[in-house]
Amino acid sequence: MSEMCVAAYVAGDHLKEGDAYTATLRGVGSRVEYTLVAPIDGEIVGTICHCPPDGLSPAALAGPDEYEFRFLAIAPGAWGAGIGSALVADCEAQAIASGARYMLLSVIDSNERAINLYERLGYARLPEREWSPTPAGDSTSGASIRLLVMR
Ligand SMILES: CC(C)(COP(=O)(O)OP(=O)(O)OC[C@H]1O[C@@H](n2cnc3c(N)ncnc32)[C@H](O)[C@@H]1OP(=O)(O)O)[C@@H](O)C(=O)NCCC(=O)NCCS
């Protein structure tokens, strides 16, 4: 699952193999209980990390009335089939069931494909909350990465 996650970001040209942030993507073990996968014929083709603001999940930004998702990735050969949208919809349902008012996400600023997808799903940018992953805010430094925030 972790290799598929890195392969998706590399295929999308958002990261290069060896960039510091790939270590964060590969760290699925530390967030496995919050991670859901989409299997097809026994193979994992999609993954998403559900982040309620419970103080334990890998939420980066979520406040008390927000639910966040992170590390959405679809295997490059399965793009465009609606799997990413379905994983987001499932997470939204979970967020509503938890009583959250908002769904929050971060996306690399150059990731036009994902930004278009999120806009189509009704998300809008919150410029005041943009950030870069650093040792204080994430497990691995990725200070050169700029993350837009959408809600
Ligand atoms: C961004 C990403 C998650 C999107 O996943 P996906 O499964 O391809 O997303 P979907 O198929 O639900 O939607 C993508 C597009 O395919 C279209 N689509 C959806 N179902 C479709 C279908 N059955 N047939 C054809 N096109 C379809 C959608 O309209 C959408 O178009 P849009 O981007 O112009 O709005 C995926 O490309 C990915 O993993 N990229 C690399 C990692 C990454 O960027 N992760 C996001 C981090 S924030």
mmCIF file of all heavy atoms in Angstrom, residues 123-140:
data_model
loop_
_atom_site.group_PDB
_atom_site.id
_atom_site.type_symbol
_atom_site.label_atom_id
_atom_site.label_comp_id
_atom_site.label_asym_id
_atom_site.label_seq_id
_atom_site.Cartn_x
_atom_site.Cartn_y
_atom_site.Cartn_z
ATOM 1 N N TYR A 123 -15.361 21.607 -2.791
ATOM 2 C CA TYR A 123 -14.387 22.161 -1.843
ATOM 3 C C TYR A 123 -13.878 23.513 -2.349
ATOM 4 O O TYR A 123 -13.759 23.731 -3.552
ATOM 5 C CB TYR A 123 -13.199 21.200 -1.662
ATOM 6 C CG TYR A 123 -13.578 19.949 -0.901
ATOM 7 C CD1 TYR A 123 -14.242 18.902 -1.545
ATOM 8 C CD2 TYR A 123 -13.298 19.825 0.446
ATOM 9 C CE1 TYR A 123 -14.609 17.757 -0.856
ATOM 10 C CE2 TYR A 123 -13.664 18.679 1.141
ATOM 11 C CZ TYR A 123 -14.324 17.649 0.487
ATOM 12 O OH TYR A 123 -14.686 16.525 1.176
ATOM 13 N N ALA A 124 -13.571 24.399 -1.402
ATOM 14 C CA ALA A 124 -13.033 25.728 -1.739
ATOM 15 C C ALA A 124 -11.785 25.980 -0.906
ATOM 16 O O ALA A 124 -11.658 25.478 0.223
ATOM 17 C CB ALA A 124 -14.083 26.797 -1.443
ATOM 18 N N ARG A 125 -10.878 26.773 -1.456
ATOM 19 C CA ARG A 125 -9.599 27.044 -0.779
ATOM 20 C C ARG A 125 -9.768 27.916 0.449
ATOM 21 O O ARG A 125 -10.608 28.814 0.477
ATOM 22 C CB ARG A 125 -8.630 27.729 -1.749
ATOM 23 C CG ARG A 125 -8.004 26.776 -2.725
ATOM 24 C CD ARG A 125 -7.091 27.508 -3.682
ATOM 25 N NE ARG A 125 -6.022 28.226 -2.994
ATOM 26 C CZ ARG A 125 -5.049 28.877 -3.614
ATOM 27 N NH1 ARG A 125 -5.016 28.902 -4.942
ATOM 28 N NH2 ARG A 125 -4.119 29.500 -2.932
ATOM 29 N N LEU A 126 -8.928 27.650 1.455
ATOM 30 C CA LEU A 126 -8.833 28.508 2.646
ATOM 31 C C LEU A 126 -7.395 29.031 2.683
ATOM 32 O O LEU A 126 -6.525 28.441 3.340
ATOM 33 C CB LEU A 126 -9.108 27.701 3.919
ATOM 34 C CG LEU A 126 -10.512 27.114 4.098
ATOM 35 C CD1 LEU A 126 -10.570 26.312 5.394
ATOM 36 C CD2 LEU A 126 -11.560 28.210 4.111
ATOM 37 N N PRO A 127 -7.103 30.139 1.964
ATOM 38 C CA PRO A 127 -5.714 30.597 1.820
ATOM 39 C C PRO A 127 -5.025 30.857 3.156
ATOM 40 O O PRO A 127 -3.815 30.638 3.285
ATOM 41 C CB PRO A 127 -5.845 31.887 1.007
ATOM 42 C CG PRO A 127 -7.177 31.803 0.345
ATOM 43 C CD PRO A 127 -8.061 30.977 1.240
ATOM 44 N N GLU A 128 -5.777 31.275 4.146
ATOM 45 C CA GLU A 128 -5.160 31.617 5.436
ATOM 46 C C GLU A 128 -4.635 30.394 6.185
ATOM 47 O O GLU A 128 -3.901 30.526 7.165
ATOM 48 C CB GLU A 128 -6.150 32.408 6.306
ATOM 49 C CG GLU A 128 -7.356 31.643 6.823
ATOM 50 C CD GLU A 128 -8.490 31.474 5.799
ATOM 51 O OE1 GLU A 128 -8.292 31.812 4.613
ATOM 52 O OE2 GLU A 128 -9.569 30.989 6.205
ATOM 53 N N ARG A 129 -4.999 29.191 5.719
ATOM 54 C CA ARG A 129 -4.569 27.986 6.440
ATOM 55 C C ARG A 129 -3.525 27.173 5.672
ATOM 56 O O ARG A 129 -3.180 26.074 6.076
ATOM 57 C CB ARG A 129 -5.785 27.124 6.792
ATOM 58 C CG ARG A 129 -6.688 27.844 7.794
ATOM 59 C CD ARG A 129 -7.917 27.067 8.142
ATOM 60 N NE ARG A 129 -7.664 25.960 9.056
ATOM 61 C CZ ARG A 129 -8.628 25.222 9.599
ATOM 62 N NH1 ARG A 129 -9.892 25.487 9.335
ATOM 63 N NH2 ARG A 129 -8.331 24.237 10.409
ATOM 64 N N GLU A 130 -3.020 27.722 4.557
ATOM 65 C CA GLU A 130 -1.995 26.997 3.802
ATOM 66 C C GLU A 130 -0.779 26.729 4.677
ATOM 67 O O GLU A 130 -0.474 27.502 5.580
ATOM 68 C CB GLU A 130 -1.594 27.821 2.557
ATOM 69 C CG GLU A 130 -2.733 27.885 1.553
ATOM 70 C CD GLU A 130 -2.422 28.745 0.346
ATOM 71 O OE1 GLU A 130 -1.249 29.124 0.148
ATOM 72 O OE2 GLU A 130 -3.365 29.049 -0.403
ATOM 73 N N TRP A 131 -0.060 25.628 4.388
ATOM 74 C CA TRP A 131 1.058 25.243 5.258
ATOM 75 C C TRP A 131 2.073 24.413 4.495
ATOM 76 O O TRP A 131 1.839 24.017 3.353
ATOM 77 C CB TRP A 131 0.537 24.483 6.474
ATOM 78 C CG TRP A 131 -0.146 23.174 6.191
ATOM 79 C CD1 TRP A 131 -1.322 22.994 5.520
ATOM 80 C CD2 TRP A 131 0.301 21.874 6.571
ATOM 81 N NE1 TRP A 131 -1.637 21.660 5.470
ATOM 82 C CE2 TRP A 131 -0.656 20.940 6.096
ATOM 83 C CE3 TRP A 131 1.401 21.393 7.268
ATOM 84 C CZ2 TRP A 131 -0.532 19.562 6.299
ATOM 85 C CZ3 TRP A 131 1.520 20.018 7.477
ATOM 86 C CH2 TRP A 131 0.565 19.124 6.996
ATOM 87 N N SER A 132 3.215 24.181 5.139
ATOM 88 C CA SER A 132 4.231 23.263 4.637
ATOM 89 C C SER A 132 4.493 22.237 5.725
ATOM 90 O O SER A 132 4.604 22.603 6.897
ATOM 91 C CB SER A 132 5.540 23.995 4.346
ATOM 92 O OG SER A 132 5.369 24.877 3.279
ATOM 93 N N PRO A 133 4.587 20.953 5.368
ATOM 94 C CA PRO A 133 4.889 19.965 6.392
ATOM 95 C C PRO A 133 6.298 20.166 6.923
ATOM 96 O O PRO A 133 7.241 20.319 6.162
ATOM 97 C CB PRO A 133 4.744 18.627 5.661
ATOM 98 C CG PRO A 133 4.839 18.939 4.215
ATOM 99 C CD PRO A 133 4.424 20.366 4.035
ATOM 100 N N THR A 134 6.439 20.202 8.223
ATOM 101 C CA THR A 134 7.733 20.379 8.885
ATOM 102 C C THR A 134 7.822 19.354 10.001
ATOM 103 O O THR A 134 6.827 18.705 10.328
ATOM 104 C CB THR A 134 7.841 21.782 9.514
ATOM 105 O OG1 THR A 134 6.851 21.866 10.530
ATOM 106 C CG2 THR A 134 7.625 22.883 8.489
ATOM 107 N N PRO A 135 8.966 19.194 10.648
ATOM 108 C CA PRO A 135 9.043 18.225 11.746
ATOM 109 C C PRO A 135 7.997 18.483 12.829
ATOM 110 O O PRO A 135 7.507 17.557 13.443
ATOM 111 C CB PRO A 135 10.462 18.419 12.278
ATOM 112 C CG PRO A 135 11.230 18.866 11.079
ATOM 113 C CD PRO A 135 10.274 19.770 10.324
ATOM 114 N N ALA A 136 7.618 19.742 13.024
ATOM 115 C CA ALA A 136 6.639 20.024 14.070
ATOM 116 C C ALA A 136 5.233 19.628 13.650
ATOM 117 O O ALA A 136 4.411 19.273 14.479
ATOM 118 C CB ALA A 136 6.656 21.508 14.413
ATOM 119 N N GLY A 137 4.958 19.669 12.339
ATOM 120 C CA GLY A 137 3.601 19.419 11.880
ATOM 121 C C GLY A 137 3.434 18.084 11.195
ATOM 122 O O GLY A 137 2.337 17.687 10.856
ATOM 123 N N ASP A 138 4.513 17.364 11.013
ATOM 124 C CA ASP A 138 4.443 16.079 10.336
ATOM 125 C C ASP A 138 5.662 15.280 10.761
ATOM 126 O O ASP A 138 6.562 15.793 11.407
ATOM 127 C CB ASP A 138 4.432 16.301 8.813
ATOM 128 C CG ASP A 138 3.560 15.259 8.118
ATOM 129 O OD1 ASP A 138 3.713 14.066 8.425
ATOM 130 O OD2 ASP A 138 2.745 15.643 7.280
ATOM 131 N N SER A 139 5.691 14.012 10.370
ATOM 132 C CA SER A 139 6.767 13.170 10.873
ATOM 133 C C SER A 139 8.071 13.379 10.109
ATOM 134 O O SER A 139 9.115 12.979 10.566
ATOM 135 C CB SER A 139 6.352 11.707 10.790
ATOM 136 O OG SER A 139 6.075 11.381 9.453
ATOM 137 N N THR A 140 7.979 13.956 8.918
ATOM 138 C CA THR A 140 9.167 14.095 8.097
ATOM 139 C C THR A 140 9.205 15.487 7.498
ATOM 140 O O THR A 140 8.191 16.007 7.082
ATOM 141 C CB THR A 140 9.140 13.067 6.949
ATOM 142 O OG1 THR A 140 9.003 11.786 7.531
ATOM 143 C CG2 THR A 140 10.412 13.114 6.141
#
